[in-house]
Amino acid sequence: MALGATHLSLALCLMALIVLVKANFDGKKEPINNILEQNSEMLTQDFCIFAAVGSVVAEAIARERRMGASLIRLFFHDCFVDGCDAGILLDDIPGRFQGEKTSPPNNNSVRGFQVIDQAKQRIKTMCPGAAVSCADILALAARDSVAMLGGIPYPVSLGRRDARTANFTGALTQLPAPFDNLNVQLKKFSDKGMSAREMVALVGSHTVGFARCVTLCDDRNINPAMKSTLKCGCPVSNNNTNLVPLDLVTPNIFDKFYYEDLIRNQGLLFSDQVLMGSTATANVVRTYNSNPALFLREFNDAMIKMGNLPPSRGVQLEIRNVCSKVNGNSIADM
C-alpha cells in the first residue's frame, strides 16, 4: 500500500512538471497559472496542488535562481526544529510571541517566505476546496527546487499539519551551525534519527548554497584554508548582503562538485570541511564525488526521511489559512 502510494505520488509529480513545461512549447507562451486554470477541471486534487506549487516555484527560480537553494534551506530549517510543522513561517507578535523566524540562525538569513505565501494563494485559486498545510507546501517547494536546479524529482506525500507554535530556542540548539565540529553535527543529526551517511547526503544541498559575508567574516565559521581567498572585505556590518557560493565550480546547479571542493580542502564553511576529518564521513564524500548518480538518489532518500519528521508531541496542529499566523485571533495556546 505504501509502495503504491509512493509510486502514485511520483507519477503525479512528473505529470505536474509536464504541465509546467507546457508553456515552453506553446506558441502563445501563456503564463503557467493560466494553463493550470484552463485545465483545472482535469486535475486530481493532489495533482492540482503539486502543479500549483510547482508553478510558483518555477516562476520564483526564473526570477532568481538562488531562490531554489533558499527554499531547500527553508524546508531543512523547518523540519530540524521540532519536526516538519511550518513553525518557521510564523511571524512574531511583539510582546506576546517570538518564534523561529527571528531566532539568530534564521533572522535576516532564511528566505523564501513570500514564495510559500504565493503558493498557498495559488492553491486556493486553482484548487478550490483543497486543504493543504503550509508544512506540505514547504516540502513540495523544496522538492521542486531540487528538480528545477538539476536534481531528480522524488515523491512527496501530503498530510502534514501546521503547528500553532514555534520554538525560538530550539532553532538555536537543534539546527547545525557553521561553527559546529563533526561530533556536534553528528549528534544533531542523530537526534533526528539521521545516520552519518544521511547527514553527508543532506549537506550536499550546499552545492547550490551561498553564505553571507557577515557569516564568513567570523573566523569560527570559515575553513581556515579559505580565509586568505575570501573577498568579503572583512570586517563587515550585520546588514551586509554580499554572498559567496559554497560550491566554487557550479554554484547554480545541483550536482556533486561541492564534494570535490571538500576533497581539495576548499570547502568554505568550517562545518563543511570537517566532514573530511573522519574516515567514515570522508569516505562518503569521496563516494558521492565519484558516483554523482548515487549522491542524487541517496540525497532524495534522506530528504524523504527528513520530510517525515513529526511535530513535537502535544503540540496543537491545524491547517493554517495564512502561513504566517495561526488560525483565529487567540494565541493563548501558543
Side-chain angles (χ1 to χ4, degrees):
M1 216 28 210
L3 182 62
T6 296
H7 287 169
L8 177 60
S9 174
L10 184 56
L12 290 174
C13 160
L14 295 174
M15 289 170 62
L17 290 175
I18 291 170
V19 170
L20 298 182
V21 301
K22 182 180 184 293
N24 294 328
F25 296 94
D26 192 318
K28 297 180 180 180
K29 298 294 182 183
E30 293 181 85
I32 291 172
N33 58 316
N34 287 354
I35 294 172
L36 290 176
E37 187 170 10
Q38 292 166 11
N39 294 277
S40 59
E41 72 281 357
M42 300 170 57
L43 310 180
T44 68
Q45 188 176 78
D46 283 2
F47 174 79
C48 185
I49 292 167
F50 294 166
V53 174
S55 68
V56 172
V57 173
E59 291 163 5
I61 291 176
R63 289 191 299 268
E64 181 195 10
R65 193 164 177 86
R66 178 187 164 221
M67 184 54 70
S70 297
L71 291 169
I72 297 168
R73 184 169 182 248
L74 182 60
F75 179 55
F76 179 91
H77 278 228
D78 180 53
C79 290
F80 246 65
V81 181
D82 297 342
C84 305
D85 62 0
I88 196 170
L89 303 180
L90 288 174
D91 286 339
D92 290 355
I93 302 175
R96 302 172 68 190
F97 168 73
Q98 187 172 24
E100 296 162 28
K101 187 180 287 190
T102 55
S103 188
N106 298 326
N107 194 31
N108 297 319
S109 176
V110 172
R111 57 201 292 270
F113 300 105
Q114 75 281 6
V115 178
I116 303 303
D117 291 339
Q118 291 165 6
K120 182 75 167 179
Q121 185 56 50
R122 187 159 298 175
I123 290 169
K124 291 179 180 179
T125 302
M126 297 293 135
C127 317
V132 59
S133 68
C134 301
D136 276 345
I137 295 172
L138 281 168
L140 292 170
R143 185 273 310 280
D144 293 344
S145 294
V146 170
M148 292 175 193
L149 293 179
I152 301 172
Y154 55 87
V156 172
S157 60
L158 302 181
R160 297 168 188 81
R161 293 294 182 265
D162 305 321
R164 289 183 59 84
T165 190
N167 191 344
F168 177 91
T169 303
L172 280 168
T173 59
Q174 298 176 43
L175 287 170
F179 52 78
D180 282 346
N181 64 38
L182 184 57
N183 286 336
V184 171
Q185 292 184 71
L186 288 168
K187 176 65 165 58
K188 288 180 176 179
F189 277 81
S190 176
D191 287 346
K192 306 300 177 184
M194 311 296 288
S195 69
R197 189 179 186 94
E198 289 166 332
M199 179 185 81
V200 177
L202 286 174
V203 175
S205 63
H206 285 180
T207 187
V208 290
F210 290 79
R212 300 167 65 211
C213 279
V214 68
T215 297
L216 297 171
C217 285
D218 184 333
D219 286 349
R220 299 175 304 162
N221 299 333
I222 189 170
N223 172 10
M226 297 297 290
K227 187 175 179 181
S228 63
T229 68
L230 189 64
K231 298 179 180 179
C232 280
C234 301
V236 297
S237 64
N238 285 336
N239 60 2
N240 183 288
T241 58
N242 291 333
L243 301 167
V244 181
L246 298 179
D247 177 341
L248 302 178
V249 183
T250 53
N252 292 310
I253 301 174
F254 202 97
D255 58 22
K256 62 94 176 185
F257 283 104
Y258 159 81
Y259 296 113
E260 186 171 304
D261 290 340
L262 298 187
I263 293 169
R264 294 176 176 175
N265 195 27
Q266 292 182 340
L268 192 58
L269 295 177
F270 172 81
S271 58
D272 286 346
Q273 193 58 49
V274 295
L275 295 179
M276 298 302 296
S278 161
T279 300
T281 50
N283 284 345
V284 181
V285 169
R286 293 189 181 96
T287 297
Y288 288 159
N289 182 61
S290 63
N291 192 340
L294 178 65
F295 158 57
L296 293 177
R297 290 197 303 272
E298 294 196 355
F299 173 82
N300 285 359
D301 291 342
M303 284 290 281
I304 292 169
K305 182 175 178 178
M306 185 184 73
N308 289 325
L309 288 173
S312 296
R313 289 183 180 180
V315 171
Q316 293 192 17
L317 303 171
E318 64 185 6
I319 294 180
R320 290 184 211 138
N321 294 322
V322 177
C323 289
S324 59
K325 63 181 182 180
V326 299
N327 298 339
N329 297 319
S330 173
I331 60 164
D333 56 340
M334 296 178 68

